[in-house]
Amino acid sequence: MSWNAPLTRVNGESIPMGELDRYVIRYGQDDENLTEEVVVTNAQAQAEMSYAISGLDNGIWYFTIQVQDTSGLISEPSDVVSKSVQS
């Protein structure tokens, strides 16, 4: 997965890179029930981020991401995206 850091908060206020803490990636094979989670720390390090999730079984996987700031506030989940995995 790859993404860009947000430039604004949900309320429209700008958010400096230094206030970003971590990204939370949720994923699973049911887009209504994303049961797996990965936390990517050091969110303020760069505006363009990526993370590889390994060990996925064949089938369609769904993913969403949220950002958490240094005060513990977490964004709404992104739109769900999907990826078909075949070995």
Side-chain angles (χ1 to χ4, degrees):
M1 294 185 62
S2 62
W3 63 92
N4 293 322
L7 300 175
T8 58
R9 296 181 181 277
V10 174
N11 65 5
E13 294 177 9
S14 66
I15 183 169
M17 285 292 296
E19 290 183 19
L20 301 179
D21 185 41
R22 65 188 66 206
Y23 294 99
V24 179
I25 301 168
R26 290 190 174 82
Y27 62 100
Q29 289 193 285
D30 177 352
D31 64 342
E32 298 292 324
N33 188 23
L34 303 177
T35 58
E36 305 296 322
E37 179 178 292
V38 172
V39 176
V40 180
T41 58
N42 201 20
Q44 70 279 8
Q46 51 189 318
E48 295 180 20
M49 301 284 294
S50 65
Y51 187 86
I53 298 174
S54 61
L56 299 177
D57 293 334
N58 288 342
I60 298 176
W61 287 85
Y62 300 92
F63 304 85
T64 189
I65 190 167
Q66 294 173 278
V67 64
Q68 183 174 338
D69 70 9
T70 54
S71 297
L73 299 173
I74 193 158
S75 71
E76 292 292 321
S78 68
D79 292 337
V80 175
V81 297
S82 64
K83 173 70 177 169
S84 179
V85 175
Q86 298 177 0
S87 49

XYZ file of all heavy atoms in Angstrom:
674
model
N 0.836 -1.165 0.000
C 0.000 0.000 0.000
C 0.884 1.233 0.000
O 1.964 1.219 0.572
C -0.860 0.053 1.266
C -1.885 -1.022 1.414
S -2.915 -0.768 2.877
C -3.684 0.783 2.471
N 0.380 2.287 -0.604
C 1.077 3.572 -0.519
C 0.031 4.670 -0.392
O -1.111 4.519 -0.832
C 1.958 3.795 -1.746
O 1.180 3.834 -2.915
N 0.423 5.769 0.253
C -0.502 6.872 0.506
C 0.286 8.132 0.767
O 1.491 8.114 0.983
C -1.417 6.550 1.688
C -0.685 6.370 2.989
C -0.431 7.330 3.922
C -0.083 5.169 3.487
N 0.279 6.794 4.967
C 0.508 5.469 4.730
C 0.011 3.862 3.014
C 1.182 4.521 5.494
C 0.678 2.920 3.770
C 1.260 3.256 5.003
N -0.422 9.247 0.763
C 0.155 10.553 1.085
C -0.393 11.017 2.423
O -1.547 10.761 2.749
C -0.204 11.578 0.009
C 0.447 11.267 -1.311
O 1.582 10.818 -1.366
N -0.274 11.483 -2.387
N 0.438 11.713 3.162
C 0.019 12.261 4.454
C -1.093 13.283 4.231
O -1.109 13.989 3.227
C 1.202 12.931 5.140
N -2.035 13.360 5.169
C -3.102 14.363 5.032
C -2.552 15.770 5.246
O -1.586 15.971 5.977
C -4.075 13.981 6.151
C -3.225 13.304 7.173
C -2.150 12.581 6.404
N -3.187 16.709 4.589
C -2.798 18.115 4.738
C -3.712 18.845 5.703
O -3.358 19.892 6.228
C -2.824 18.814 3.376
C -1.903 18.227 2.309
C -2.122 18.936 0.988
C -0.452 18.318 2.754
N -4.919 18.287 5.915
C -5.899 18.935 6.786
C -6.548 17.914 7.707
O -6.569 16.717 7.436
C -7.006 19.625 5.975
O -7.652 18.658 5.153
C -6.463 20.752 5.115
N -7.100 18.431 8.778
C -7.891 17.620 9.702
C -9.307 17.486 9.137
O -9.663 18.158 8.174
C -7.935 18.282 11.078
C -6.581 18.364 11.750
C -6.702 19.024 13.127
N -5.417 19.123 13.774
C -4.833 18.144 14.458
N -5.446 16.987 14.598
N -3.655 18.318 15.015
N -10.120 16.650 9.760
C -11.499 16.451 9.322
C -12.275 17.764 9.320
O -13.095 18.015 8.444
C -12.204 15.398 10.216
C -13.669 15.281 9.887
C -11.514 14.048 10.100
N -11.967 18.657 10.269
C -12.681 19.932 10.357
C -12.141 20.991 9.391
O -12.588 22.133 9.406
C -12.651 20.465 11.789
C -11.260 20.829 12.263
O -10.292 20.786 11.506
N -11.141 21.181 13.531
N -11.166 20.639 8.570
C -10.631 21.564 7.575
C -9.395 22.327 8.001
O -8.749 22.974 7.179
N -9.029 22.274 9.287
C -7.809 22.948 9.750
C -6.585 22.207 9.215
O -6.591 20.993 9.085
C -7.754 22.950 11.279
C -8.815 23.775 11.945
C -8.745 23.674 13.465
O -7.779 23.094 13.992
O -9.676 24.166 14.119
N -5.526 22.955 8.940
C -4.304 22.311 8.458
C -3.658 21.507 9.589
O -3.835 21.812 10.767
C -3.327 23.349 7.904
O -2.877 24.188 8.930
N -2.924 20.477 9.196
C -2.208 19.656 10.184
C -0.738 19.580 9.767
O -0.417 19.103 8.685
C -2.830 18.253 10.335
C -2.100 17.465 11.427
C -2.862 17.500 9.025
C -2.792 16.187 11.847
N 0.151 20.087 10.604
C 1.584 20.009 10.303
C 2.081 18.562 10.364
O 1.581 17.762 11.165
C 2.238 20.845 11.402
C 1.137 21.642 12.033
C -0.110 20.855 11.819
N 3.043 18.229 9.545
C 3.620 16.880 9.533
C 4.096 16.468 10.919
O 3.984 15.313 11.307
C 4.794 16.793 8.548
C 4.399 16.745 7.098
S 3.551 15.231 6.622
C 4.812 14.001 6.897
N 4.639 17.397 11.694
C 5.158 17.089 13.019
C 4.100 16.633 14.011
O 4.423 16.092 15.057
N 2.818 16.853 13.686
C 1.740 16.428 14.574
C 1.201 15.039 14.223
O 0.346 14.511 14.926
C 0.601 17.448 14.554
C 0.986 18.753 15.225
C -0.160 19.744 15.271
O -1.332 19.333 15.126
O 0.121 20.941 15.449
N 1.671 14.456 13.132
C 1.238 13.108 12.762
C 2.019 12.094 13.580
O 3.230 12.224 13.745
C 1.459 12.863 11.272
C 0.744 13.818 10.323
C 1.091 13.467 8.887
C -0.748 13.800 10.546
N 1.347 11.093 14.096
C 2.006 10.099 14.937
C 2.096 8.730 14.274
O 3.159 8.142 14.190
C 1.267 9.983 16.274
C 1.965 9.047 17.235
O 3.209 9.084 17.314
O 1.267 8.272 17.913
N 0.964 8.210 13.817
C 0.950 6.855 13.260
C -0.206 6.693 12.284
O -1.152 7.467 12.294
C 0.830 5.824 14.366
C -0.489 5.892 15.106
C -0.544 5.013 16.323
N 0.412 5.523 17.290
C 0.994 4.786 18.219
N 0.671 3.534 18.357
N 1.865 5.311 19.045
N -0.073 5.658 11.463
C -1.154 5.246 10.570
C -1.636 3.886 11.037
O -0.841 3.043 11.452
C -0.658 5.134 9.128
C -0.250 6.464 8.542
C 1.090 6.834 8.489
C -1.200 7.339 8.044
C 1.470 8.059 7.946
C -0.825 8.561 7.511
C 0.506 8.906 7.464
O 0.872 10.111 6.931
N -2.937 3.671 10.950
C -3.528 2.390 11.305
C -4.169 1.827 10.034
O -5.102 2.425 9.486
C -4.576 2.538 12.426
C -5.189 1.184 12.759
C -3.951 3.177 13.659
N -3.631 0.712 9.566
C -4.160 0.036 8.383
C -5.005 -1.131 8.870
O -4.538 -1.959 9.653
C -3.020 -0.495 7.491
C -2.119 0.653 7.034
C -3.588 -1.265 6.297
C -0.822 0.201 6.393
N -6.253 -1.171 8.417
C -7.125 -2.309 8.737
C -7.426 -3.028 7.431
O -7.633 -2.393 6.398
C -8.404 -1.823 9.409
C -8.134 -1.300 10.802
C -9.417 -1.024 11.585
N -9.088 -0.657 12.953
C -8.727 0.548 13.342
N -8.613 1.510 12.468
N -8.437 0.785 14.605
N -7.468 -4.357 7.508
C -7.702 -5.118 6.286
C -8.344 -6.468 6.601
O -8.336 -6.931 7.734
C -6.406 -5.294 5.500
C -5.316 -6.068 6.207
C -5.099 -7.411 5.908
C -4.502 -5.469 7.156
C -4.089 -8.122 6.548
C -3.499 -6.173 7.794
C -3.296 -7.500 7.481
O -2.302 -8.212 8.112
N -8.896 -7.073 5.580
C -9.527 -8.380 5.718
C -10.180 -8.773 4.408
O -10.140 -8.036 3.423
N -10.808 -9.938 4.390
C -11.435 -10.427 3.161
C -12.935 -10.136 3.128
O -13.612 -10.523 2.188
C -11.147 -11.908 2.972
C -9.678 -12.126 2.612
C -9.394 -13.512 2.118
O -9.347 -14.441 2.903
N -9.204 -13.638 0.816
N -13.441 -9.458 4.130
C -14.834 -9.017 4.169
C -14.811 -7.507 4.340
O -14.367 -7.005 5.384
C -15.560 -9.697 5.337
C -16.994 -9.254 5.504
O -17.442 -8.302 4.821
O -17.691 -9.859 6.347
N -15.256 -6.768 3.333
C -15.147 -5.308 3.392
C -15.991 -4.680 4.503
O -15.781 -3.535 4.872
C -15.472 -4.664 2.045
C -16.904 -4.891 1.589
O -17.567 -5.806 2.107
O -17.352 -4.138 0.695
N -16.906 -5.441 5.086
C -17.711 -4.953 6.205
C -17.101 -5.326 7.558
O -17.591 -4.902 8.600
C -19.131 -5.517 6.115
C -19.887 -5.090 4.868
C -20.208 -3.611 4.848
O -20.500 -3.053 5.915
O -20.146 -3.017 3.746
N -16.054 -6.139 7.546
C -15.448 -6.629 8.793
C -13.939 -6.785 8.598
O -13.448 -7.884 8.358
C -16.094 -7.961 9.195
C -15.648 -8.419 10.564
O -15.215 -7.626 11.392
N -15.735 -9.706 10.794
N -13.215 -5.683 8.687
C -11.759 -5.686 8.500
C -11.114 -6.081 9.822
O -10.954 -5.265 10.714
C -11.292 -4.318 8.012
C -11.958 -3.837 6.717
C -11.495 -2.444 6.358
C -11.712 -4.806 5.580
N -10.762 -7.355 9.947
C -10.352 -7.924 11.228
C -8.861 -7.813 11.528
O -8.455 -7.994 12.663
C -10.753 -9.412 11.291
O -10.136 -10.099 10.188
C -12.260 -9.577 11.224
N -8.053 -7.552 10.527
C -6.600 -7.467 10.719
C -6.193 -6.007 10.842
O -6.838 -5.119 10.288
C -5.858 -8.121 9.552
C -6.266 -9.560 9.285
C -5.935 -10.476 10.438
O -4.874 -10.302 11.059
O -6.736 -11.386 10.717
N -5.074 -5.774 11.562
C -4.619 -4.397 11.782
C -3.098 -4.338 11.821
O -2.451 -5.208 12.388
C -5.190 -3.884 13.098
C -4.764 -2.480 13.441
C -5.384 -1.997 14.739
O -6.608 -1.800 14.771
O -4.631 -1.829 15.711
N -2.567 -3.304 11.199
C -1.135 -3.000 11.243
C -1.000 -1.535 11.628
O -1.724 -0.686 11.113
C -0.469 -3.230 9.867
C 0.958 -2.724 9.858
C -0.524 -4.688 9.470
N -0.079 -1.236 12.540
C 0.191 0.147 12.932
C 1.559 0.540 12.371
O 2.553 -0.146 12.608
C 0.160 0.305 14.466
C 0.550 1.720 14.857
C -1.213 -0.057 15.015
N 1.584 1.622 11.614
C 2.820 2.147 11.033
C 3.182 3.398 11.815
O 2.464 4.403 11.765
C 2.648 2.465 9.539
C 3.943 3.013 8.949
C 2.175 1.239 8.776
N 4.271 3.333 12.565
C 4.687 4.460 13.397
C 5.565 5.430 12.606
O 5.889 5.179 11.452
C 5.446 3.963 14.640
O 6.572 3.200 14.219
C 4.538 3.107 15.517
N 5.946 6.511 13.257
C 6.832 7.517 12.676
C 6.194 8.191 11.463
O 6.838 8.415 10.445
C 8.186 6.894 12.323
C 9.278 7.925 12.218
O 9.158 9.024 12.739
N 10.347 7.578 11.541
N 4.899 8.505 11.585
C 4.149 9.083 10.475
C 4.687 10.435 10.015
O 4.512 10.807 8.867
C 2.674 9.220 10.859
N 5.337 11.165 10.895
C 5.829 12.494 10.529
C 7.105 12.450 9.688
O 7.576 13.465 9.215
C 6.058 13.350 11.787
C 7.218 12.934 12.640
C 6.922 11.767 13.584
O 5.876 11.147 13.522
N 7.850 11.461 14.450
N 7.649 11.254 9.471
C 8.937 11.127 8.787
C 8.902 11.567 7.328
O 9.851 12.171 6.843
C 9.443 9.691 8.873
N 7.825 11.260 6.619
C 7.765 11.625 5.210
C 6.322 11.753 4.752
O 5.429 11.103 5.286
C 8.515 10.614 4.355
C 8.130 9.168 4.599
C 9.056 8.214 3.895
O 9.423 8.434 2.749
N 9.430 7.142 4.555
N 6.107 12.591 3.744
C 4.757 12.850 3.260
C 4.212 11.696 2.426
O 3.011 11.492 2.357
C 4.730 14.138 2.453
N 5.093 10.939 1.782
C 4.672 9.786 0.988
C 5.111 8.526 1.716
O 6.296 8.310 1.937
C 5.270 9.836 -0.409
C 4.758 11.018 -1.228
C 5.344 11.058 -2.615
O 5.830 10.024 -3.108
O 5.307 12.144 -3.221
N 4.141 7.705 2.089
C 4.426 6.506 2.878
C 4.020 5.263 2.101
O 3.177 5.323 1.211
C 3.634 6.540 4.194
C 3.910 7.728 5.083
S 5.475 7.638 5.962
C 5.224 6.256 7.048
N 4.597 4.135 2.483
C 4.179 2.853 1.916
C 4.435 1.763 2.942
O 5.253 1.923 3.856
C 4.921 2.551 0.616
O 6.297 2.386 0.855
N 3.705 0.656 2.786
C 3.848 -0.479 3.677
C 3.439 -1.730 2.911
O 2.409 -1.728 2.227
C 2.967 -0.308 4.923
C 3.206 -1.377 5.952
C 4.211 -1.245 6.892
C 2.433 -2.533 5.973
C 4.443 -2.234 7.829
C 2.659 -3.524 6.908
C 3.664 -3.370 7.833
O 3.894 -4.362 8.756
N 4.236 -2.774 3.007
C 3.928 -4.045 2.339
C 3.368 -5.022 3.360
O 3.970 -5.252 4.403
C 5.183 -4.620 1.696
N 2.206 -5.574 3.057
C 1.588 -6.593 3.904
C 1.821 -7.933 3.230
O 1.419 -8.134 2.081
C 0.078 -6.323 4.086
C -0.108 -4.977 4.792
C -0.585 -7.455 4.864
C -1.550 -4.537 4.901
N 2.488 -8.827 3.928
C 2.808 -10.132 3.339
C 1.945 -11.223 3.952
O 1.258 -11.015 4.948
C 4.294 -10.445 3.557
O 4.574 -10.490 4.940
N 1.991 -12.395 3.334
C 1.304 -13.558 3.869
C -0.194 -13.592 3.613
O -0.918 -14.290 4.318
N -0.662 -12.839 2.623
C -2.090 -12.826 2.327
C -2.470 -14.055 1.506
O -1.792 -14.400 0.540
C -2.469 -11.560 1.559
C -2.214 -10.231 2.265
C -2.563 -9.065 1.351
C -2.984 -10.151 3.567
N -3.549 -14.713 1.889
C -4.072 -15.849 1.131
C -4.661 -15.352 -0.183
O -4.991 -14.173 -0.330
C -5.169 -16.569 1.929
C -4.621 -17.258 3.172
O -3.431 -17.618 3.191
O -5.408 -17.421 4.124
N -4.839 -16.282 -1.122
C -5.481 -15.940 -2.387
C -6.887 -15.417 -2.131
O -7.562 -15.837 -1.194
C -5.559 -17.160 -3.305
C -4.215 -17.542 -3.872
O -3.278 -16.761 -3.872
N -4.117 -18.757 -4.377
N -7.331 -14.506 -2.960
C -8.674 -13.956 -2.861
C -8.627 -12.443 -2.905
O -7.593 -11.833 -3.152
N -9.756 -11.849 -2.655
C -9.862 -10.390 -2.657
C -9.702 -9.892 -1.227
O -10.356 -10.390 -0.308
C -11.200 -9.926 -3.246
C -11.297 -10.374 -4.707
C -11.336 -8.403 -3.140
C -12.611 -10.063 -5.362
N -8.818 -8.923 -1.057
C -8.552 -8.302 0.246
C -8.976 -6.848 0.185
O -8.815 -6.177 -0.826
C -7.064 -8.413 0.593
C -6.680 -9.802 0.966
C -6.326 -10.815 0.109
C -6.622 -10.349 2.276
N -6.066 -11.952 0.817
C -6.238 -11.697 2.158
C -6.865 -9.836 3.537
C -6.090 -12.531 3.246
C -6.708 -10.668 4.634
C -6.321 -11.992 4.485
N -9.494 -6.364 1.310
C -9.980 -4.989 1.419
C -9.145 -4.258 2.465
O -8.771 -4.839 3.482
C -11.454 -4.989 1.819
C -12.316 -5.699 0.809
C -12.598 -7.056 0.946
C -12.826 -5.020 -0.293
C -13.379 -7.722 0.014
C -13.609 -5.681 -1.229
C -13.880 -7.026 -1.071
O -14.642 -7.675 -2.007
N -8.894 -2.972 2.204
C -8.006 -2.184 3.060
C -8.597 -0.799 3.309
O -9.235 -0.219 2.442
C -6.641 -1.989 2.385
C -5.962 -3.257 2.005
C -6.251 -3.880 0.791
C -5.035 -3.839 2.843
C -5.623 -5.052 0.443
C -4.401 -5.021 2.498
C -4.701 -5.629 1.286
N -8.320 -0.269 4.479
C -8.627 1.118 4.805
C -7.511 1.631 5.719
O -6.780 0.838 6.316
C -10.019 1.259 5.467
O -10.350 2.634 5.558
C -10.058 0.632 6.829
N -7.367 2.937 5.793
C -6.292 3.514 6.604
C -6.810 4.729 7.369
O -7.716 5.428 6.898
C -5.078 3.888 5.718
C -3.868 4.267 6.571
C -5.442 4.976 4.731
C -2.585 4.342 5.788
N -6.258 4.930 8.551
C -6.557 6.106 9.365
C -5.234 6.686 9.835
O -4.229 5.975 9.924
C -7.382 5.720 10.584
C -8.766 5.221 10.250
C -9.471 4.695 11.474
O -9.242 3.557 11.853
N -10.317 5.508 12.075
N -5.238 7.971 10.155
C -4.058 8.615 10.731
C -4.398 9.066 12.152
O -5.521 9.468 12.429
C -3.563 9.802 9.864
C -4.582 10.917 9.809
C -2.223 10.317 10.353
N -3.415 8.916 13.036
C -3.579 9.372 14.419
C -2.552 10.459 14.680
O -1.390 10.335 14.277
C -3.363 8.209 15.380
C -3.588 8.577 16.829
C -3.516 7.363 17.739
O -3.696 6.237 17.313
N -3.225 7.600 18.996
N -2.973 11.540 15.357
C -2.031 12.615 15.645
C -1.380 12.418 17.017
O -1.702 11.474 17.740
C -2.684 13.999 15.502
C -3.698 14.328 16.582
O -3.810 13.583 17.580
O -4.389 15.359 16.426
N -0.480 13.306 17.358
C 0.283 13.174 18.603
C -0.581 13.399 19.843
O -0.168 13.061 20.946
C 1.467 14.160 18.616
O 0.977 15.487 18.360
C 2.503 13.786 17.559
N -1.802 13.935 19.666
C -2.736 14.099 20.784
C -3.658 12.892 20.940
O -4.512 12.880 21.810
C -3.591 15.356 20.578
O -2.778 16.495 20.581
N -3.510 11.900 20.056
C -4.341 10.705 20.129
C -5.615 10.774 19.314
O -6.394 9.827 19.310
N -5.849 11.884 18.621
C -7.038 11.998 17.776
C -6.840 11.171 16.518
O -5.769 11.224 15.901
C -7.306 13.457 17.405
C -7.583 14.403 18.574
C -7.660 15.836 18.080
C -8.855 13.999 19.300
N -7.857 10.410 16.135
C -7.737 9.548 14.956
C -8.774 9.957 13.921
O -9.900 10.325 14.259
C -7.850 8.060 15.346
C -7.416 7.171 14.201
C -9.237 7.717 15.840
C -6.985 5.785 14.610
N -8.366 9.910 12.669
C -9.241 10.319 11.580
C -10.315 9.266 11.310
O -10.247 8.139 11.801
C -8.414 10.519 10.304
O -7.963 9.263 9.813
N -11.270 9.657 10.493
C -12.235 8.698 9.971
C -11.472 7.756 9.034
O -10.462 8.138 8.447
C -13.331 9.420 9.185
C -14.240 10.277 10.046
C -15.106 9.451 10.976
O -15.589 8.380 10.557
O -15.281 9.875 12.134
N -11.949 6.531 8.856
C -11.282 5.621 7.908
C -11.380 6.152 6.482
O -12.364 6.797 6.119
C -12.067 4.311 8.045
C -12.839 4.425 9.310
C -13.061 5.893 9.547
N -10.368 5.855 5.702
C -10.402 6.187 4.285
C -11.455 5.321 3.596
O -11.987 4.377 4.189
C -9.043 5.920 3.650
O -8.790 4.509 3.633
N -11.741 5.630 2.353
C -12.579 4.732 1.563
C -11.901 3.375 1.485
O -10.662 3.285 1.448
C -12.772 5.282 0.151
C -13.622 6.556 0.125
O -14.405 6.766 1.072
O -13.499 7.309 -0.853
N -12.686 2.333 1.435
C -12.142 0.978 1.334
C -11.666 0.758 -0.099
O -12.344 1.107 -1.063
C -13.208 -0.065 1.706
C -12.693 -1.480 1.496
C -13.660 0.116 3.152
N -10.458 0.180 -0.213
C -9.916 -0.225 -1.516
C -9.714 -1.728 -1.485
O -9.607 -2.331 -0.418
C -8.604 0.513 -1.863
C -8.842 2.008 -1.996
C -7.534 0.223 -0.845
N -9.647 -2.343 -2.675
C -9.483 -3.796 -2.726
C -8.324 -4.182 -3.630
O -7.900 -3.422 -4.491
C -10.765 -4.451 -3.228
O -11.049 -4.072 -4.551
N -7.836 -5.385 -3.390
C -6.741 -5.953 -4.174
C -6.964 -7.451 -4.283
O -7.211 -8.119 -3.290
C -5.387 -5.672 -3.491
C -4.194 -6.342 -4.111
C -3.861 -5.758 -5.453
C -2.609 -6.404 -6.015
N -2.384 -6.079 -7.390
N -6.901 -7.977 -5.499
C -7.008 -9.407 -5.696
C -5.625 -10.030 -5.602
O -4.682 -9.582 -6.266
C -7.612 -9.681 -7.099
O -7.707 -11.066 -7.309
N -5.485 -11.046 -4.750
C -4.196 -11.711 -4.543
C -4.266 -13.102 -5.151
O -5.202 -13.863 -4.858
C -3.873 -11.802 -3.034
C -2.597 -12.600 -2.799
C -3.763 -10.412 -2.428
N -3.294 -13.403 -5.994
C -3.183 -14.736 -6.592
C -1.724 -15.139 -6.573
O -0.865 -14.348 -6.897
C -3.701 -14.735 -8.026
C -5.157 -14.376 -8.147
C -5.616 -14.310 -9.591
O -4.833 -14.541 -10.508
N -6.873 -13.981 -9.795
N -1.469 -16.373 -6.187
C -0.057 -16.803 -6.160
C 0.317 -17.563 -7.401
O -0.437 -17.831 -8.251
C 0.229 -17.660 -4.934
O -0.708 -18.673 -4.774
